[in-house]
């Protein structure tokens, strides 16, 4: 069910009790800016820097529609819950809460690079006024929910993402970027199970990050967005 974040100029798939939404879609007359840091920043410093960048762009902090996080390694379920509790506290301190629900989407993955030694912020997305062909949106990273092999895992992820896109009133053809997170042997299935089912966005290829989902034992995660502006901070 879509909830309206009026100050932020977007609607989101609210999930009660969750630290992030399933995705966000900009209001009519608004676009999305995707801004990544040249180097991931420690999480608290990164959230502060993101809020400062958004303010400098003339937008309220509530316009933040999504975050991309990096952690050093996958977590146990208990450690993941503890991480989320601290994360939600930080978001509430920034004013990122709508009717008791966290509106910002999120992708949180464990980077294989040794450059990430603590929870860090890699990128932020926010709404900005401006015309846009199609819908501007972002969908939270979805890990597999079924399967012991790459093909089945990808199938399960694509089902989840397609449902979320439909709920947002968006489509794969509107997308400007698909990001794939995984380390195991995935190349044989990417074209068949991802690009051939991703509509027009396939022309942009796949952004692959050698990473793992944030909970120990999971293998693959994918997110997708439609953003009219891409920045490096």
């Amino acid at each position: 069910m879509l909830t309206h974040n009026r100050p932020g100029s977007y609607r989101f798939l609210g999930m009660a009790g969750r630290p992030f939404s399933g995705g966000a879609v900009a209001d009519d007359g608004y676009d999305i800016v995707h801004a990544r840091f040249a180097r991931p920043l420690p999480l608290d410093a990164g959230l502060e820097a993101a809020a400062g960048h958004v303010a400098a762009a003339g937008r309220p902090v509530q316009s933040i529609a999504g975050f991309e996080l990096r952690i050093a390694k996958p977590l146990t379920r208990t450690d993941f819950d503890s991480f989320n509790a601290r994360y939600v506290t930080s978001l509430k301190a920034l004013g990122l809460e709508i009717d008791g629900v966290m509106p910002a989407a999120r992708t949180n993955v464990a980077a294989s690079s040794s450059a990430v030694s603590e929870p860090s912020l890699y990128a932020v997305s926010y709404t900005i006024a401006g015309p846009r062909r199609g819908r501007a949106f972002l969908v939270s990273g979805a890990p597999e929910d079924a399967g012991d092999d790459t093909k089945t895992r990808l199938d399960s992820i694509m089902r989840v993402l397609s449902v979320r896109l439909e709920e947002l009133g968006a489509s794969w053809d509107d997308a400007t970027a698909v990001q794939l997170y995984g380390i195991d042997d995935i190349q044989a299935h990417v074209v068949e199970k991802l690009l051939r089912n991703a509509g027009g966005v396939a022309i942009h290829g796949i952004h692959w990050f050698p990473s793992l989902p944030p909970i120990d034992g999971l293998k693959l995660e994918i997110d997708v967005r439609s953003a009219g502006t891409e920045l490096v901070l």
Side-chain angles (χ1 to χ4, degrees), residues 28-184:
D28 291 341
Y30 284 83
D31 201 352
I32 285 178
V33 176
H34 176 263
R36 65 177 176 87
F37 293 98
R39 296 289 184 274
L41 297 177
L43 186 54
D44 287 340
L47 291 174
E48 182 178 349
H53 168 74
V54 168
R59 297 293 291 146
V61 70
Q62 292 88 354
S63 68
I64 293 176
F67 292 109
E68 293 169 41
L69 311 184
R70 299 293 185 265
I71 55 177
K73 62 180 182 179
L75 304 172
T76 65
R77 174 62 70 175
T78 298
D79 288 341
F80 185 63
D81 289 343
S82 296
F83 171 84
N84 283 331
R86 295 193 299 271
Y87 176 73
V88 167
T89 297
S90 296
L91 295 195
K92 287 182 177 179
L94 285 177
L96 294 179
E97 184 180 20
I98 301 293
D99 298 332
V101 180
M102 297 295 109
R106 189 180 84 178
T107 294
N108 180 24
V109 293
S112 62
S113 170
S114 60
V116 176
S117 60
E118 61 181 305
S120 302
L121 182 61
Y122 174 76
V124 60
S125 296
Y126 58 95
T127 61
I128 192 167
R132 180 68 192 284
R133 183 194 64 80
R135 305 307 301 271
F137 67 85
L138 62 154
V139 177
S140 289
E144 76 265 17
D145 61 9
D148 296 322
D149 60 87
T150 299
K151 173 183 177 297
T152 307
R153 291 183 182 116
L154 282 169
D155 281 343
S156 73
I157 293 172
M158 292 297 286
R159 284 195 298 270
V160 170
L161 293 176
S162 294
V163 168
R164 290 183 184 173
L165 284 171
E166 184 176 359
E167 291 174 330
L168 291 171
S171 73
W172 287 103
D173 283 342
D174 293 326
T176 59
V178 175
Q179 299 185 150
L180 171 67
Y181 309 89
I183 296 176
D184 290 349

